[in-house]
Amino acid sequence: MKDVITLKDIAVSFDGETILDGLDLSIHDGEFVTLLGPSGCGKTTTLRIIGGFITPDRGDVFFGDQRVNNVPPHKRQVNTIFQRYALFPHLNVYENVAFGMRVQKKKKAEIAETVEKMLALVNLKGFEKRAVSTLSGGQQQRVAIARALANNPKVLLLDEPLAALDLKLRKDMQVELKNIQKSLGITFVYVTHDQEEALSMSDTVVVMDGGRIQQIGTPTDIYNEPQNAFVADFIGESNILDGVMREDYKVEFFGKEFRCVDFGFEKDEPVDVVVRPEDIDIVEPEKGDLIGRVTNITFKGVHYEIIVDVKGFKWMIQTTDFHAVDSVIGIMIDPQEIQVMKKSEYSGLYGDYSSFSEEFDGLADPEAENGAAQ
Amino acid sequence: MKTLSRIYNVIIFGLLYFPIIMVIVFSFNSARYTPMEWKDFSLQWYEKLFQNEEILNALSVTLQVALISTLAATVIGTLAAIGIHAMNRKLRRVMLTINNFPMVNPEVVSGVAFMLLFVALAAVLPVFKPGFFTLCIAHVTFCTPYVVLQIMPKLRQTDGRLYEAALDLGCTPLQAFFKVTIPEILPGILTGALMAFTMSLDDFAISYFTAGSSAQTLSVTIYSMVKRPVTPEIYALSTLLFGTVFVLLLLANIGQVRDISRRSKRARR
């Protein structure tokens, strides 16, 4: 596939603080790419570099084969949807959408036709004469989308476009954005800190932290085969254990050897082992590979979330069966549910649920975090 | 307590406005000389006023100076405000202090300073001989800070991303400035211009020192008239001046109130 945007060895720092550190990224034509990471990871900076609002200290930006480092924003064939929409308050909905075309001195009839088409696309027919200040957040978001798309961009950049919307609306807009992207065939570069949003919308997810790319892959790759402890922890819930790779397809942890599907490690190489909470089977204690004691159970609706103490390490397991606190259970793990990762700077930082308690759970809930951030 | 506060208010506002009301009332009095006593309602002083060559001349100078200095101060002030807004916090504070200083500096001091400057410059460049031109320069100088002060808060309220959004949609920086930045801060620019106009009309001290004999403003003319026996013509003139400034300030305030209510409406959404 053709690359529309290529970033090569990009580095940026502000006031001596490194924001991006040797970033390489290729974005294919027609792809929905999401830059995912915690705040301060450099995802918005990456987007602003593509938009032309930041010139990197080092490295090159290519649109196709053309180096565009010094091309100002207004000459780039990309359009941005800004975090707080940045609609022009002195213009009505029609004029906001028509803004880009008026700058390009398009014919009146053409402008009218495109505005109508765009407003239909985002379900805002009949809102032409409304002042943007009278619109709800979701409607303003739609105007911002229509305004950006009216310029017929090759690539649309979206900077946390749904962050200011409430949960229900956000879910609807996710579907709608995805549909728009599919029907227009435009490349989307989407920035978010919401992992669920990233997994459900993207063709490719780029996980970032500390100004560097941690992993690039499809949503299933990222979820099922995280490459380091950061990715494993940031995307979904993970039990991350210290292990040793005894030989190909054999990994040891908790003093016990497990069969796995990973290979290509050194003999006896120390590794991080990831097991997802929903991939663990609970059996009779005597039949389990490991034995543990339940220390906490939380009802989550579709399943229970239980914390199990195995030789001092707290596992999180999701199960549809109730297990009383202090009951002793056996744990069984299928070989394909074990993901072995190389040791990284993130090893040992994540993946143990020792600090887990019910009141803590409220804080770790992404919804609650979003609410607090706004 | 309530009565007390009412009495207090009446005294304060009485002190503030009674003299002006007296002037207005007696500008319509047909009697000529003080001590003031009311005879008949008459517009004769207004008629006389508009036949007085000296005053009409001064009025025309005043209006010209006010228009020119308002225009120049508004342009300079707008650009200055945008520049100051783009600075980092520390530098911005320094610049705003520098900006505010001329407003609190005693006008007489400013006036003397201008006079010295112009006299020194005139020795080299004859244009700076006190007259219409120097008057304009002085007025532009003391009006500009008011414009800056009116526009700064508007810039703070404006979303910085709007300018970027305009660039993103294909505007050159200059287009983005005129299509987005200016409309956003327009209410501030207009109140700033009104303030500048009022200040220019209002000024006496600085004009007195910078006008020279060739171009006198109304206030300077009135001052020189007062040295002779006071005629009610001056009351009539004062009434007109007061009325003009009052209307201008009222307009500026209405503009601000409208803008605030629009902003709060927008914020509620």
Side-chain angles (χ1 to χ4, degrees), chain A residues 225-227 244-252 258-273 335-336 338-342:
Chain A
E225 283 155 43
Q227 273 164 20
V244 177
M245 203 67 184
R246 288 301 176 205
E247 59 188 82
D248 282 355
Y249 312 114
K250 268 203 181 123
V251 63
E252 184 188 309
F258 287 82
R259 277 193 305 122
C260 65
V261 292
D262 299 273
F263 57 92
F265 291 84
E266 309 265 330
K267 190 172 158 48
D268 295 339
E269 182 179 339
V271 290
D272 285 335
V273 177
Q336 64 268 25
I338 294 173
Q339 162 71 4
V340 180
M341 312 180 298
K342 292 232 180 238

Side-chain angles (χ1 to χ4, degrees), chain B:
Chain B
M1 199 59 216
K2 212 169 178 185
T3 359
L4 214 64
S5 93
R6 275 214 189 117
I7 292 170
Y8 175 80
N9 270 320
V10 167
I11 291 175
I12 293 292
F13 282 108
L15 283 175
L16 279 174
Y17 285 97
F18 186 67
I20 299 171
I21 292 169
M22 286 302 285
V23 167
I24 294 173
V25 168
F26 278 93
S27 73
F28 295 108
N29 188 6
S30 65
R32 184 175 174 94
Y33 292 111
T34 40
M36 295 184 162
E37 76 190 292
W38 181 260
K39 264 178 94 181
D40 297 304
F41 178 85
S42 131
L43 289 173
Q44 61 163 315
W45 304 118
Y46 287 87
E47 273 166 45
K48 286 220 171 103
L49 179 68
F50 284 104
Q51 285 155 8
N52 187 329
E53 200 73 16
E54 195 187 2
I55 286 176
L56 289 181
N57 218 336
L59 181 68
S60 129
V61 169
T62 304
L63 288 179
Q64 283 178 50
V65 170
L67 279 176
I68 291 172
S69 56
T70 299
L71 218 66
T74 305
V75 172
I76 296 171
T78 305
L79 295 178
I82 289 168
I84 292 171
H85 182 69
M87 289 171 179
N88 66 42
R89 186 177 300 190
K90 210 168 161 193
L91 204 58
R92 195 188 310 156
R93 196 165 288 170
V94 173
M95 288 306 289
L96 278 179
T97 308
I98 293 174
N99 178 68
N100 293 350
F101 191 70
M103 294 190 284
V104 290
N105 190 34
E107 284 186 16
V108 183
V109 177
S110 298
V112 172
F114 273 124
M115 187 181 70
L116 276 178
L117 175 74
F118 292 142
V119 167
L121 282 174
V124 199
L125 296 163
V127 259
F128 285 104
K129 209 168 149 292
F132 187 77
F133 182 62
T134 54
L135 201 58
C136 283
I137 292 183
H139 277 237
V140 171
T141 313
F142 74 74
C143 286
T144 304
Y146 292 95
V147 179
V148 172
L149 216 62
Q150 291 297 319
I151 295 177
M152 286 308 288
K154 306 269 15 147
L155 282 169
R156 266 197 297 276
Q157 288 161 13
T158 304
D159 180 356
R161 294 280 149 115
L162 288 181
Y163 176 74
E164 286 189 354
L167 294 181
D168 189 75
L169 291 165
C171 283
T172 62
L174 202 65
Q175 282 175 317
F177 175 73
F178 282 112
K179 279 177 185 284
V180 173
T181 310
I182 291 287
E184 267 301 286
I185 60 173
L186 195 61
I189 296 177
L190 291 180
T191 25
L194 271 176
M195 286 291 280
F197 193 76
T198 318
M199 288 297 152
S200 174
L201 281 188
D202 204 33
D203 175 70
F204 167 69
I206 295 173
S207 301
Y208 185 74
F209 284 103
T210 52
S213 51
S214 62
Q216 294 210 323
T217 63
L218 263 185
S219 53
V220 176
T221 308
I222 294 173
Y223 179 71
S224 62
M225 283 165 74
V226 172
K227 287 179 195 156
R228 292 168 260 160
V230 182
T231 66
E233 245 176 297
I234 290 178
Y235 302 155
L237 183 56
S238 304
T239 303
L240 289 179
L241 268 182
F242 174 78
T244 313
V245 172
F246 183 73
V247 168
L248 285 180
L249 276 181
L250 210 63
L251 284 179
N253 278 327
I254 290 171
Q256 268 172 346
V257 169
R258 272 212 188 135
D259 191 52
I260 288 167
S261 69
R262 219 184 54 205
R263 288 257 165 205
S264 62
K265 216 185 267 170
R266 195 188 296 170
R268 251 181 278 136
R269 305 263 161 192

Side-chain angles (χ1 to χ4, degrees), chain A residues 214-250:
Chain A
Q214 302 297 332
Q215 188 168 355
I216 302 178
T218 63
T220 40
D221 281 351
I222 297 277
Y223 189 82
N224 292 333
E225 283 155 43
Q227 273 164 20
N228 65 32
F230 175 80
V231 178
D233 180 75
F234 193 74
I235 318 287
E237 300 285 352
S238 299
N239 298 292
I240 305 174
L241 324 148
D242 268 332
V244 177
M245 203 67 184
R246 288 301 176 205
E247 59 188 82
D248 282 355
Y249 312 114
K250 268 203 181 123

Side-chain angles (χ1 to χ4, degrees), chain A residues 31-33 149 155-156 158 177 180-181 186-190:
Chain A
E31 201 179 21
F32 195 124
V33 180
L149 290 176
V155 178
L156 190 66
L158 303 99
L177 273 176
I180 289 172
Q181 191 260 340
I186 300 176
T187 310
F188 273 35
V189 183
Y190 193 98

